[in-house]
């Protein structure tokens, strides 16, 4: 099975491709350039593997949580590709993708994921590897204030188990003292969504392009009026 995955949910933009020959991908930090970069990156990965979109069997994308705009870019891009090539889609958690990378690269079987959600909040998830080498969600993903994470939760993981930008962004609120290089996995990467996409497909979790539904976790955004403004 040939799987093409993309992610634009954070400051990072990435593409992953799984073929019989193995996995290939591109990862870039390019804030606010995702809409300009994602299609050229897809073309580059396909072309260097001598493939076109018509050769792909399944599409996957980072369905969130993350930047509202970034998640929508990935969803709309995949929706267009799926519609044009008549392909099914698998929606992959961005938090889970970081845990999967921690598992595949470093053999860390339990991960605590925090993505900076702005507004003094983080997107939160906990993951445990199963017997098939998939980082499975153990608690429902949520958005919460960093200070609300109890010391019991944090202390049950070591620094190698931490993934995501939320740890450095809110280490004071979390009561942590991290080295600048402490976290090896800070952003979701589409390359590590491939195994998750394949697993979810085998579980029958694929959707049609019409059924794509990004997951924001935070469904509403709090907006405060400035003084003396209507």
């Amino acid at each position: 099975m040939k799987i093409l995955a993309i992610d634009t949910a954070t400051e990072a933009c990435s593409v992953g491709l799984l073929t019989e020959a193995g996995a290939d991908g591109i990862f870039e930090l390019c804030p606010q350039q995702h809409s300009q970069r994602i299609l050229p990156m897809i073309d580059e990965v396909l072309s260097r593997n001598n493939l076109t979109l018509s050769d792909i069997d399944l599409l996957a994308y980072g369905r969130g949580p993350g930047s509202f705009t970034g998640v929508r870019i990935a969803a709309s891009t995949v929706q267009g590709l799926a519609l044009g090539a008549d392909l099914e889609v698998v929606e992959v958690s961005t938090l889970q993708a970081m845990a999967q990378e921690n598992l595949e690269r470093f053999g860390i079987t339990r991960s605590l994921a925090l993505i900076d959600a702005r507004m003094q909040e983080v997107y939160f998830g906990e993951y445990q590897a199963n017997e098939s080498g998939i980082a499975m969600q153990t608690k429902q993903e949520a958005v919460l204030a960093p200070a609300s994470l109890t010391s019991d939760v944090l202390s049950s993981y070591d620094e190698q188990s931490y993934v995501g930008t939320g740890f450095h962004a809110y280490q004071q609120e979390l009561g942590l003292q991290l080295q600048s290089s402490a976290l090896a996995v800070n952003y979701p990467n589409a390359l590590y969504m491939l195994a998750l996409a394949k697993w979810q497909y085998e579980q029958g979790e694929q959707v049609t392009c019409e059924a794509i539904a990004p997951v924001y976790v935070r469904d509403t955004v709090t907006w405060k009026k400035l003084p003396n403004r209507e």
Side-chain angles (χ1 to χ4, degrees):
M1 171 172 277
K2 298 180 180 68
I3 303 174
L4 179 68
I6 68 169
D7 180 68
T8 59
T10 63
E11 295 90 330
C13 185
S14 59
V15 175
L17 176 67
L18 181 67
T19 68
E20 296 83 352
D24 187 18
I26 301 175
F27 176 92
E28 294 181 5
L29 289 177
C30 52
Q32 301 180 352
Q33 298 178 44
H34 300 76
S35 58
Q36 291 81 32
R37 291 295 300 135
I38 190 62
L39 290 177
M41 288 169 67
I42 292 171
D43 289 341
E44 181 179 342
V45 170
L46 288 174
S47 64
R48 73 189 187 193
N49 286 275
N50 299 311
L51 297 173
T52 65
L53 188 61
S54 62
D55 297 310
I56 299 301
D57 301 304
L58 181 71
L59 295 171
Y61 79 104
R63 50 84 166 154
S67 155
F68 283 21
T69 299
V71 171
R72 286 195 294 268
I73 289 171
S76 61
T77 299
V78 160
Q79 195 166 42
L81 296 175
L83 185 62
D86 192 25
L87 292 172
E88 291 182 311
V89 176
V90 170
E91 301 174 301
V92 178
S93 162
T94 49
L95 293 164
Q96 187 182 15
M98 294 189 298
Q100 186 68 25
E101 180 175 355
N102 214 22
L103 174 61
E104 291 186 26
R105 289 180 61 195
F106 307 109
I108 306 300
T109 57
R110 293 180 67 242
S111 288
L112 176 64
L114 300 180
I115 289 178
D116 183 4
R118 314 303 184 194
M119 299 192 296
Q120 296 297 305
E121 291 181 320
V122 290
Y123 297 118
F124 157 88
E126 293 186 70
Y127 306 88
Q128 170 74 53
N130 67 9
E131 65 280 358
S132 298
I134 299 297
M136 300 296 293
Q137 177 181 309
T138 59
K139 289 186 179 179
Q140 184 174 354
E141 295 174 351
V143 61
L144 46 79
S148 69
L149 275 176
T150 66
S151 58
D152 288 344
V153 172
L154 291 169
S155 63
S156 66
Y157 296 87
D158 56 32
E159 286 189 7
Q160 290 182 314
S161 302
Y162 296 162
V163 295
T165 56
F167 288 97
H168 281 302
Y170 298 107
Q171 61 178 304
Q172 182 175 352
E173 291 86 345
L174 295 167
L176 300 174
Q177 291 184 333
L178 300 173
Q179 300 296 320
S180 59
S181 59
L183 274 68
V185 180
N186 281 289
Y187 303 96
N189 185 339
L191 189 65
Y192 298 96
M193 293 181 175
L194 296 169
L196 298 173
K198 186 173 185 293
W199 168 265
Q200 290 179 223
Y201 178 80
E202 291 169 348
Q203 309 309 305
E205 297 178 10
Q206 66 273 24
V207 300
T208 63
C209 64
E210 295 86 1
I212 287 174
V215 174
Y216 300 113
V217 177
R218 178 197 285 140
D219 292 324
T220 59
V221 176
T222 301
W223 176 75
K224 296 181 180 179
K225 288 192 292 184
L226 294 175
N228 303 316
R229 298 289 181 89
E230 294 298 325

